[in-house]
Amino acid sequence: MKKMSILTLILILVFLFVGCGDDYESDYPADQPYTNDEINVEAPDSESGKSDNENESGSNPLNDDTNDEPTDDNDDEPDDVNDIPPQENPLDTTPPETSNSPQGTTPGGNQGHGNDDRPINIDPPPLIIPSGVSLNQSTATLDIGGTFTFTATVIPANAANRTVSWSSNSAAVTVNNGVVTAVSAGKATITATTHNGRTATASVIVREASTPPPIQPTGITLNHNSITLDIGGTVNLIANVLPANAANRTVTWSSDNQAATVNNGTVTAVRAGTAVITATTSNGFTATAIVTVREPAPSANPARAVFDDVNAERARHGLSALQWCDQLAAAALGHSIDVVGRGFGGHTGSDGREPSDRAGRPVVENLASRSATADPSSVAPSWMTSTIHRNNMLNSNATVAGIGWYNGFFTLKIAVT
């Protein structure tokens, strides 16, 4: 009987182990040892005083007295299963119940051990890295000092790190955060690089700064539109080329009549008459001034006064009077102006020509210098004291002559055959 009861208990424990093993999962770590307090065969109900093994009638299926096997009263084993002291069940892994204190509260806020509410570590999604980069333009042409801004687009748009670094392979340009500045003529390659080495490039050509076309004259004006001069008189014409910043402000001067000559804007009255003085720009714009030359009163014209004194000397020597020649007078005046301009006298002009060359015919020539305000009556007598000058004045074959006076200098030209 006792052996049968022990066997029955073992079968019940095996049944409990096999029936609960698939459905029960311990809340305790496998490597944590259990204590005796944690492994208990379920205690009798505190209210009824009955074991879970007892049925409602109070009978215990483990306590079957119908077995007629003889018993051994002298056996030390208990006769009834109820006489077996409580045993620790090594298969019961149910942890002890916890109180409602904070220590028994799971991280999720639930009481007890019905669910495993410990935090679950979830790995974050992997970072998206750039797969490429592009530029807004592949080429650019700049003048020295010019700038251009390249814009880099990292691909894909949701890449985690969209940082781009910039570089240039040439000193012809500099690049700062995509802004390219042209430094010197040449070529350069601009490179944009992502943090993981993806690149995009653009070519830059730097040329010499273009020179704007020169500004051409659009007109010209003169400070005088009309002038009246006595023979031997002078005036300065001043040309104003428009606009003021015209690149070429060169002016050429011309006269349409020998009554007046012009040299770099200085007009000289040669003989009675009218002349049109024209100033012309490099591209053909013109401005004009009309010059009227008149015979001065005898007392006001030193050249005429000296001419009369020469004829008086010829008359005293029984020679015919010389006739006034405008052509010779103009040549004489031109030489007087040339001498005053150079600051010294001589028969050879600054252009290398001799007296006959300037007159366009054979001539003899007398020169005299006086102050601009000196009395011209001393000129002819002084020539009579010089053999060469005297012979020129008293040449019996001479018929025409002209005298030019300018700022105190006299030139007498007498035509000879």
Side-chain angles (χ1 to χ4, degrees):
M1 180 65 182
K2 292 180 181 179
K3 292 181 180 180
M4 184 62 182
S5 298
I6 293 173
L7 180 60
T8 301
L9 178 61
I10 291 173
L11 292 174
I12 292 173
L13 291 177
V14 170
F15 171 77
L16 291 175
F17 174 78
V18 174
C20 298
D22 293 337
D23 297 331
Y24 183 81
E25 182 177 348
S26 174
D27 288 338
Y28 282 75
D31 57 351
Q32 180 175 332
Y34 296 94
T35 64
N36 290 336
D37 293 336
E38 295 171 337
I39 305 175
N40 293 310
V41 176
E42 192 167 350
D45 189 296
S46 60
E47 294 183 359
S48 63
K50 298 178 182 180
S51 170
D52 289 340
N53 294 327
E54 293 178 340
N55 56 26
E56 293 181 357
S57 62
S59 63
N60 190 336
L62 298 180
N63 189 11
D64 187 3
D65 293 334
T66 59
N67 194 330
D68 295 334
E69 292 183 6
T71 60
D72 188 358
D73 293 337
N74 295 325
D75 194 343
D76 293 334
E77 294 181 4
D79 295 335
D80 196 303
V81 68
N82 292 326
D83 296 331
I84 300 174
Q87 300 292 320
E88 292 182 358
N89 185 359
L91 302 180
D92 186 0
T93 58
T94 303
E97 292 187 1
T98 58
S99 66
N100 291 330
S101 64
Q103 289 81 354
T105 303
T106 62
N110 297 325
Q111 300 292 331
H113 299 277
N115 296 308
D116 187 355
D117 293 327
R118 289 176 294 173
I120 300 175
N121 293 328
I122 300 176
D123 293 335
L127 296 178
I128 298 175
I129 63 174
S131 60
V133 61
S134 63
L135 297 179
N136 59 324
Q137 193 161 314
S138 60
T139 61
T141 300
L142 300 174
D143 292 333
I144 293 176
T147 61
F148 182 82
T149 300
F150 285 103
T151 302
T153 301
V154 176
I155 302 168
N158 62 341
N161 189 336
R162 299 175 62 81
T163 303
V164 174
S165 60
W166 298 87
S167 62
S168 169
N169 70 338
S170 170
V173 301
T174 61
V175 59
N176 182 17
N177 198 28
V179 179
V180 175
T181 301
V183 177
S184 60
K187 296 181 179 180
T189 298
I190 303 301
T191 302
T193 306
T194 65
H195 79 97
N196 63 331
R198 303 293 183 178
T199 62
T201 61
S203 299
V204 177
I205 298 175
V206 181
R207 62 192 178 190
E208 296 287 349
S210 58
T211 303
I215 298 175
Q216 297 295 324
T218 59
I220 183 173
T221 61
L222 296 176
N223 59 330
H224 295 290
N225 294 324
S226 63
I227 308 167
T228 299
L229 296 174
D230 291 336
I231 293 175
T234 63
V235 69
N236 288 325
L237 293 177
I238 299 174
N240 180 30
V241 177
L242 302 175
N245 61 341
N248 189 340
R249 300 178 61 81
T250 303
V251 175
T252 57
W253 298 88
S254 63
S255 173
D256 71 338
N257 194 307
Q258 292 183 351
T261 62
V262 61
N263 180 21
N264 198 29
T266 300
V267 177
T268 302
V270 176
R271 64 187 183 193
T274 301
V276 176
I277 306 300
T278 302
T280 306
T281 66
S282 60
N283 60 340
F285 288 92
T286 61
T288 60
I290 298 175
V291 178
T292 301
V293 181
R294 64 190 179 186
E295 290 281 355
S299 59
N301 189 345
R304 283 289 187 172
V306 171
F307 186 79
D308 292 342
D309 291 341
V310 169
N311 276 334
E313 292 292 340
R314 284 177 65 87
R316 280 194 293 271
H317 291 80
L319 299 172
S320 62
L322 299 171
Q323 300 298 312
W324 180 268
C325 175
D326 287 339
Q327 180 185 2
L328 294 177
L333 177 60
H335 187 62
S336 293
I337 294 172
D338 184 51
V339 169
V340 172
R342 289 187 293 163
F344 63 94
H347 293 284
T348 303
S350 60
D351 57 0
R353 294 190 301 169
E354 299 299 330
S356 295
D357 298 329
R358 291 190 294 271
R361 60 195 295 184
V363 297
V364 293
E365 186 176 79
N366 288 354
L367 303 177
S369 179
R370 298 289 187 271
S371 67
T373 59
D375 184 357
S377 62
S378 65
V379 174
S382 69
W383 283 336
M384 292 297 290
T385 62
S386 167
T387 301
I388 294 176
H389 295 95
R390 175 189 171 91
N391 290 338
N392 290 338
M393 288 174 58
L394 302 178
N395 187 318
S396 59
N397 294 324
T399 59
V400 296
I403 296 179
W405 173 88
Y406 181 74
N407 200 25
F409 195 87
F410 294 87
T411 298
L412 168 63
K413 288 183 178 294
I414 302 172
V416 295
T417 58

